[in-house]
């Protein structure tokens, strides 16, 4: 019999219940016991949902209060020393301190580094390891959750991040240290976990080794072999080794050679790997086919999925085939049934996590000869309707993208000339200070927005409130002495949603949330059709805010690559094509802002780095089209207009020359949590334009000291010329509270002032 399986279910809850509970707990409004009860309830709902959908292998331990890599850190007891954790199980306090930092009267510790999970918009906490790290089983979560499900009558498959990927995703500040050297110390903890799971009755365990889809060196390959030789002997539990997000390519021979019961492959991202897998799989090994897209919201082509399953059955027999999603459904919104406001046609094109469960079941059943013909026919009809819909195709847009000229991809003059033209116009001090765009979206801002949405206040009242917030924020920035101001982005709930709502070709959900990091969720728009801009999107706010200050106000836009990366994108044309269309729409907006008298325009490309393909040989192609789309968006203005861009994610060292090709006059970039590691790139590569490496980590409520920021600026000045350096936080401040923001920015401007004076004194001397 073909088995249906799921690799992971979204934790946040259909109405973001987990987010709300965790945030109440942080605020002290919910006790630990209450938080645990809420979590338990959510797990129960999710397990039942999967069971009701007919899923055979239901995951457990896919739940997390913050992140599953952080859970693994807790599991193996790899808590960095600075948290000063007491012996024994990792407490919730230590857990959240690692995630978010902790600042109390006795303690002041920074958070652990956070980075993007492969090419998704989910962030994980990066394990910090060194040659001195020792491991010890320090959490019983995986066992407890298995037992919890069992008590509900549901037999689950616990999920665990594999030991090799865990080590490969880790970071160390020790020269010459290779995390894989810790494997032999780590395996005993994994062995202990498997034994404990066996003792409570687990039959299956899913061990994720997503690094198997990356370029892997010989040491990593040896590590996989050693690890699974050892884990296969640890217990009699069947191991499902899960890979996802790309093709295993050359690593597939290794994976299929490991002594595991089953191997999962992603056939949505890499359909081509099926043949390879079928030729390499041997013995009794079961093949788990990821045929339903875990990362996008389109209804599946069930015929195509079934064709793969039937091909596998023909070769292996139905007992050796599992049907599942391409990857964990963590990256999908929870339930399409909550979307009561989407029109019927669009709804018929979509499937969220809950609907994907039914798709998985339907394909597995069909593989077992019980095909639900009506269900399959409906899916086919939906695909046909999307392919031919007039809402999807716009001839004018297609013509304009086909006619983008070389001219449209470049500014009129080189940066050096532009900088000379801009200097007297902008008249900025050395080390100009600025922020990235948003200011705290307080409870009041959110409550007022909610009132407007429910009709409790009128559009005029809401507008007036936003204007007052904006002016207040402008005054605060003036008082803080910032040089280049922002309007605070109060009119935006989200930097992508805001633009999507004003562009054609986009649709929005009400509850289509996915976890981004910790309690932070995003609600990606759905790009279903050709994109165009019916009218100006930000000019009114830019004019209003510029009229309220004598300082320069940055126009604030989201770039084409980020809009693309943070949306659910249509899958009927290459992403590069969709990106070009967005690039043109943003270009029109940039030109309109310039015409309205805005002299500095920031085009955020927060997500450019995360879109980088997982395999290096695919990088060049991606960077070509993504940077081209950015340049199209930025190059419609005159030399006198200063274009900024902003990027999150500090790991730029290997693409810094491409970042330079974006040719933004100024780039602000996230670096503070990694202690400006980014700057290593500038030792070799002389970055030509201006740059603001973040000096203040906004992902944590902690206020950095002035000296910390001075130190970071000194560090930056070792590799950058003073004329190149800007001073700014890592990212936007919308998730922070006002008191900490004011304090941190005050210290930041004063750090800038101190270093400015040092530089001037040096020049005078
Ligand atoms: N301008 C946006 C903000 O300040 C940028 C956010 C981001 O980079 N993620 O919120
Ligand atoms: Zn950012």
């Amino acid at each position: 019999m073909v088995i249906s399986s799921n690799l992971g279910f979204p934790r946040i809850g259909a109405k973001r219940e987990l987010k709300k509970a965790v945030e109440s707990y942080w605020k002290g409004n919910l006790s630990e016991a209450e938080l645990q009860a809420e979590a338990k309830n959510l797990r129960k709902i999710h397990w039942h949902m999967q069971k009701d959908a007919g899923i055979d292998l239901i995951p457990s331990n896919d739940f997390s209060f913050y992140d599953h890599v952080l859970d693994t850190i807790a599991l193996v007891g790899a808590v960095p020393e600075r948290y000063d954790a007491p012996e024994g199980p990792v407490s919730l306090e230590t857990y959240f301190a690692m995630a978010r930092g902790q600042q109390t009267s006795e303690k002041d510790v920074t958070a652990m580094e956070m980075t993007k999970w492969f090419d998704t918009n989910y962030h994980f906490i990066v394990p910090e390891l060194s040659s001195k790290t020792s491991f010890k089983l320090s959490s019983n979560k995986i066992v407890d959750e298995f037992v919890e499900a069992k008590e509900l009558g549901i037999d689950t498959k616990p999920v665990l991040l594999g030991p090799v990927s865990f080590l490969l995703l880790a970071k160390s500040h020790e020269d010459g240290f290779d995390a894989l050297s810790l494997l032999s110390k780590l395996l005993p903890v994994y062995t202990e976990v498997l034994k404990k799971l066996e003792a409570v009755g687990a039959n299956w365990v899913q061990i994720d080794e997503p690094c198997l889809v990356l370029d892997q060196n010989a040491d990593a390959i040896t590590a996989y072999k050693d690890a699974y030789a050892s884990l296969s002997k640890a217990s009699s539990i069947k191991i499902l080794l899960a890979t996802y997000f790309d093709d295993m390519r050359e690593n597939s021979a290794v994976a299929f050679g490991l002594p595991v019961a089953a191997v999962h492959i992603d056939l949505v991202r890499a359909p081509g790997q099926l043949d390879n897998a079928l030729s390499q799989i041997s013995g009794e090994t079961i093949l788990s086919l990821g045929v339903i897209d875990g990362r996008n919201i389109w209804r599946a082509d069930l015929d195509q999925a079934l064709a793969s399953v039937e091909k596998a059955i023909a070769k292996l027999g139905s007992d050796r085939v599992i049907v599942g999603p391409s990857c964990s459904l963590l990256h999908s919104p929870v339930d399409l049934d909550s979307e009561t406001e989407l029109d019927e046609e669009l709804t018929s094109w979509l499937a969220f996590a809950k609907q994907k469960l039914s798709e998985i079941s339907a394909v597995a059943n069909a593989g077992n000869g019980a095909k639900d013909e009506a269900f399959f026919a409906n899916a086919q009809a939906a695909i046909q309707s999307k392919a031919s819909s007039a809402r999807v195709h716009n001839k004018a847009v297609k013509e304009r993208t086909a006619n983008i000229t070389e001219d449209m991809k470049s500014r009129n003059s080189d940066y050096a000339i532009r900088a000379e033209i801009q200097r007297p116009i902008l008249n900025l001090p050395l080390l100009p200070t600025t922020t990235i765009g948003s200011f705290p979206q307080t409870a009041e801002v959110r409550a007022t927005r909610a009132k407007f949405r429910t009709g409790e206040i009128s559009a005029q009242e809401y507008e007036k409130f936003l204007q007052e917030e904006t002016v207040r924020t402008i005054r605060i920035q003036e008082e803080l002495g910032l040089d280049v101001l922002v309007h605070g982005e109060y009119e935006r709930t989200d930097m992508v949603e805001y633009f999507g709502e004003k562009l054609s070709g986009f649709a929005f959900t009400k509850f289509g949330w996915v976890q981004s990091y910790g309690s932070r969720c995003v609600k990606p728009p759905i790009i279903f059709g050709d994109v165009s801009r019916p009218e100006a999107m930000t000019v009114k706010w830019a004019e209003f805010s510029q009229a309220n200050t004598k300082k320069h106000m940055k126009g604030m836009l989201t770039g084409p690559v980020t809009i693309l990366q943070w949306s659910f994108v249509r899958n009927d044309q290459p992403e590069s094509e969709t990106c070009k269309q967005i690039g043109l729409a943003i270009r029109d907006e940039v030109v309109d802002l310039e015409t309205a008298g805005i002299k500095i325009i920031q085009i955020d490309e927060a997500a450019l780095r995360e879109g980088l393909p997982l395999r290096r040989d695919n990088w060049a192609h991606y960077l070509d089209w993504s940077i081209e789309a950015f340049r199209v968006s930025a190059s419609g203005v005159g030399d006198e207009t200063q274009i900024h861009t902003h990027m999150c994610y500090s790991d730029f060292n290997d693409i810094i020359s491409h970042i330079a090709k974006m040719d933004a006059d100024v780039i602000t970039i996230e670096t503070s949590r990694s202690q400006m590691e980014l700057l290593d790139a500038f030792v070799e590569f002389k970055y030509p334009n201006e740059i603001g490496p973040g000096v203040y980590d906004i992902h944590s409520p902690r206020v950095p000291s002035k000296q910390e920021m001075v130190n970071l600026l000194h560090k930056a000045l070792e590799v950058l010329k003073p004329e190149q350096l800007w001073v700014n936080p890592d990212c936007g401040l919308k998730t922070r509270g006002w008191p900490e923001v004011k304090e941190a920015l005050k210290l930041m401007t004063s750090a800038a002032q101190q270093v400015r004076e040092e530089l001037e004194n040096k020049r005078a001397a």
Side-chain angles (χ1 to χ4, degrees):
M1 287 284 277
V2 174
I3 299 173
S4 61
S5 163
N6 184 20
L7 300 189
F9 198 78
R11 320 151 170 153
I12 52 171
K15 300 276 155 72
R16 288 183 300 160
E17 292 86 344
L18 184 61
K19 169 199 179 67
K20 290 167 193 161
V22 166
E23 289 178 357
S24 303
Y25 170 76
W26 288 340
K27 288 202 193 97
N29 298 337
L30 208 65
S31 70
E32 179 165 346
E34 287 167 322
L35 175 64
Q36 294 289 2
E38 177 69 46
K40 189 169 174 182
N41 186 44
L42 279 171
R43 290 191 291 264
K44 179 171 147 193
I45 293 169
H46 297 158
W47 284 324
H48 278 300
M49 206 185 266
Q50 297 175 80
K51 182 150 187 185
D52 294 347
I55 299 296
D56 301 315
L57 291 180
I58 297 171
S60 58
N61 198 43
D62 52 342
F63 173 83
S64 178
F65 276 124
Y66 202 95
D67 158 48
H68 53 268
V69 183
L70 182 58
D71 294 343
T72 316
I73 293 169
L75 174 77
V76 303
V79 180
E81 242 166 63
R82 65 177 180 283
Y83 299 101
D84 202 14
E87 278 290 300
V90 173
S91 67
L92 206 56
E93 186 186 333
T94 303
Y95 180 85
F96 284 133
M98 290 191 279
R100 317 172 65 224
Q102 196 180 26
Q103 209 165 27
T104 63
S105 44
E106 304 96 69
K107 253 193 186 168
D108 184 6
V109 280
T110 55
M112 291 176 76
E113 197 175 328
M114 189 161 66
T115 203
K116 279 175 179 150
W117 179 242
F118 297 83
D119 57 352
T120 72
N121 184 29
Y122 174 85
H123 302 60
F124 72 97
I125 298 288
V126 182
E128 279 173 36
L129 305 175
S130 77
S131 53
K132 287 195 238 50
T133 304
S134 61
F135 301 107
K136 186 166 172 240
L137 186 59
S138 302
S139 162
N140 210 42
K141 175 180 180 290
I142 187 168
V143 178
D144 292 344
E145 286 179 14
F146 175 83
V147 173
E148 188 181 307
K150 203 162 175 171
E151 284 168 356
L152 295 169
I154 298 176
D155 225 332
T156 57
K157 156 178 65 79
V159 182
L160 182 63
L161 176 60
V164 183
S165 293
F166 176 76
L167 293 174
L168 291 173
L169 293 171
K171 250 189 169 170
S172 164
H173 297 291
E174 194 177 322
D175 279 341
F177 167 73
D178 175 9
L180 287 177
S181 65
L182 297 175
L183 184 65
S184 57
K185 287 209 249 171
L186 181 60
L187 288 175
V189 181
Y190 274 79
T191 299
E192 208 179 332
V193 171
L194 293 183
K195 288 209 156 85
K196 287 201 160 197
L197 288 172
E198 181 175 40
V200 291
N203 293 315
W204 279 96
V205 63
Q206 172 187 324
I207 307 189
D208 289 2
E209 290 286 10
C211 288
L212 274 166
V213 306
L214 306 178
D215 301 315
Q216 298 285 266
N217 64 21
D219 289 347
I221 298 302
T222 309
Y224 290 112
K225 292 181 181 160
D226 291 350
Y228 289 88
S230 152
L231 295 183
S232 67
K233 287 189 223 110
S235 74
S236 60
I237 301 183
K238 288 183 271 197
I239 296 175
L240 167 68
L241 180 81
T243 71
Y244 37 80
F245 299 151
D246 211 336
D247 195 324
M248 275 201 281
R249 292 195 201 166
E250 69 284 358
N251 303 330
S252 114
V254 181
F256 286 109
L258 298 175
V260 294
V263 176
H264 177 84
I265 55 175
D266 182 341
L267 292 180
V268 174
R269 269 297 175 87
Q273 66 180 333
L274 178 60
D275 288 337
N276 203 11
L278 288 175
S279 71
Q280 283 171 338
I281 195 163
S282 63
E284 297 291 297
T285 311
I286 299 171
L287 188 59
S288 170
L289 307 174
V291 287
I292 302 299
D293 195 346
R295 294 181 56 168
N296 213 336
I297 39 70
W298 305 109
R299 194 155 166 184
D301 182 337
L302 295 180
D303 292 345
Q304 198 188 327
L306 181 59
S308 300
V309 170
E310 283 176 339
K311 191 170 183 181
I313 295 174
K315 172 90 197 282
L316 307 172
S318 56
D319 289 340
R320 286 176 63 200
V321 175
I322 295 178
V323 175
S326 59
C327 59
S328 165
L329 300 179
L330 174 66
H331 312 286
S332 291
V334 181
D335 187 2
L336 184 63
D337 295 340
S338 314
E339 301 300 331
T340 48
E341 278 161 40
L342 282 181
D343 65 82
E344 215 176 300
E345 184 185 39
L346 198 63
T347 308
S348 77
W349 299 343
L350 306 176
F352 293 179
K354 185 175 163 208
Q355 290 68 38
K356 286 170 192 290
L357 298 172
S358 306
E359 294 182 327
I360 294 166
S361 267
V363 175
N365 288 340
N368 286 324
K371 184 169 170 188
D372 182 340
E373 295 291 352
F375 192 83
F376 272 70
N378 263 331
Q380 240 6 276
I383 289 168
Q384 294 310 327
S385 115
K386 179 153 80 78
S388 56
S389 169
R391 290 165 80 185
V392 173
H393 304 284
N394 178 333
K395 198 161 159 256
V397 173
K398 289 190 204 306
E399 272 171 20
R400 195 172 173 212
T401 45
N403 291 314
I404 294 176
T405 58
E406 283 310 307
D407 236 29
M408 292 166 72
K409 300 177 196 163
S410 292
R411 300 287 298 270
N412 298 336
S413 312
D414 288 346
Y415 164 74
I417 297 173
R418 299 195 307 263
E420 284 313 311
I421 297 174
Q422 290 163 18
R423 196 156 292 139
I425 298 175
L426 299 177
N427 199 19
L428 294 167
L430 205 56
L431 312 191
T433 53
T434 190
T435 64
I436 306 306
S438 57
F439 269 91
Q441 295 251 339
T442 54
E444 197 197 354
V445 173
R446 287 194 303 267
T448 312
R449 182 177 300 133
K451 278 192 200 154
F452 163 60
R453 291 221 166 128
T454 55
E456 218 179 296
I457 58 169
S458 69
Q460 289 88 327
E461 284 168 304
Y462 180 53
E463 176 99 356
K464 186 162 164 273
F465 169 80
L466 293 176
Q467 290 187 348
E468 283 164 4
E469 280 302 291
T470 306
V471 172
R472 203 166 66 84
T473 302
I474 292 173
R475 293 294 161 266
I476 292 172
Q477 294 173 81
E478 288 173 342
E479 275 158 35
L480 287 165
L482 287 154
D483 299 308
V484 174
L485 310 196
V486 298
H487 73 287
E489 302 181 22
Y490 296 106
E491 76 288 11
R492 308 180 186 177
T493 44
D494 174 274
M495 63 188 284
V496 172
E497 183 179 57
Y498 181 78
F499 291 94
E501 275 176 350
K502 300 193 179 308
L503 293 166
S504 308
F506 284 73
F508 291 86
T509 62
K510 241 183 132 172
F511 301 103
W513 298 99
V514 286
Q515 189 182 7
S516 171
Y517 67 89
S519 67
R520 180 144 169 75
C521 300
V522 292
K523 190 151 63 69
I526 297 170
I527 307 181
F528 64 86
D530 289 332
V531 177
S532 59
R533 187 193 74 140
E535 58 184 18
M537 305 182 282
T538 63
V539 173
K540 202 190 75 189
W541 278 109
E543 280 177 329
F544 171 81
S545 37
Q546 184 63 81
N548 272 287
T549 182
K550 292 203 170 59
K551 296 235 170 157
H552 296 297
M553 177 62 61
K554 277 195 269 191
M556 193 58 63
L557 304 174
T558 303
V561 188
T562 301
I563 292 182
L564 184 88
Q565 291 297 341
W566 288 353
S567 297
F568 289 119
V569 185
R570 58 196 283 191
N571 55 4
D572 62 338
Q573 70 180 17
E575 292 199 330
S576 54
E577 203 49 40
T578 308
C579 198
K580 251 189 241 171
Q581 297 179 352
I582 310 170
L584 285 169
I586 299 297
R587 176 186 178 93
D588 295 344
E589 187 71 15
V590 172
V591 171
D592 282 353
L593 282 172
E594 180 185 58
T595 309
I598 303 298
K599 300 195 164 49
I600 305 182
I601 301 167
Q602 178 173 314
I603 309 170
D604 287 325
E605 282 296 17
L608 192 124
R609 171 65 173 79
E610 83 189 34
L612 211 55
L614 297 173
R615 293 283 188 154
R616 281 210 180 228
D617 57 4
N618 293 329
W619 283 15
H621 175 64
Y622 166 77
L623 289 166
D624 276 355
W625 65 254
S626 60
I627 287 169
E628 182 176 306
F630 175 83
R631 291 178 63 123
V632 166
S633 76
S635 299
V637 287
D639 288 340
E640 63 283 5
T641 298
Q642 187 172 66
I643 298 287
H644 288 217
T645 189
H646 163 73
M647 286 187 199
C648 308
Y649 196 110
S650 55
D651 207 354
F652 283 102
N653 299 22
D654 35 20
I655 56 163
I656 190 70
S657 62
H658 291 92
I659 306 284
K661 280 192 211 138
M662 292 169 78
D663 198 25
D665 297 296
V666 182
I667 179 171
T668 57
I669 214 162
E670 176 184 324
T671 46
S672 71
R673 230 184 234 204
S674 63
Q675 291 296 311
M676 294 224 175
E677 243 170 55
L678 159 81
L679 297 173
D680 297 348
F682 298 121
V683 177
E684 294 285 309
F685 181 78
K686 294 291 163 231
Y687 187 75
N689 306 4
E690 291 156 59
I691 181 162
V695 291
Y696 152 32
D697 172 19
I698 62 87
H699 299 93
S700 141
R702 183 179 172 275
V703 174
S705 70
K706 177 177 169 188
Q707 192 57 45
E708 277 170 60
M709 293 188 270
V710 167
N711 291 347
L712 289 174
L713 291 173
H714 284 159
K715 213 163 163 177
L717 284 168
E718 286 169 21
V719 289
L720 296 168
K721 290 195 285 270
E723 293 70 28
Q724 285 183 288
L725 187 59
W726 283 64
V727 181
N728 46 263
D730 265 341
C731 194
L733 299 162
K734 73 190 274 189
T735 58
R736 298 273 62 93
W738 267 114
E740 77 225 28
V741 160
K742 280 192 198 161
E743 186 58 24
L745 290 180
K746 196 172 101 202
L747 295 171
M748 187 188 89
T749 47
S750 122
Q753 186 54 31
Q754 178 182 323
V755 178
R756 222 175 258 157
E757 280 164 18
E758 287 169 14
L759 288 167
E760 275 152 13
N761 290 342
K762 220 198 271 166
R763 280 187 187 179

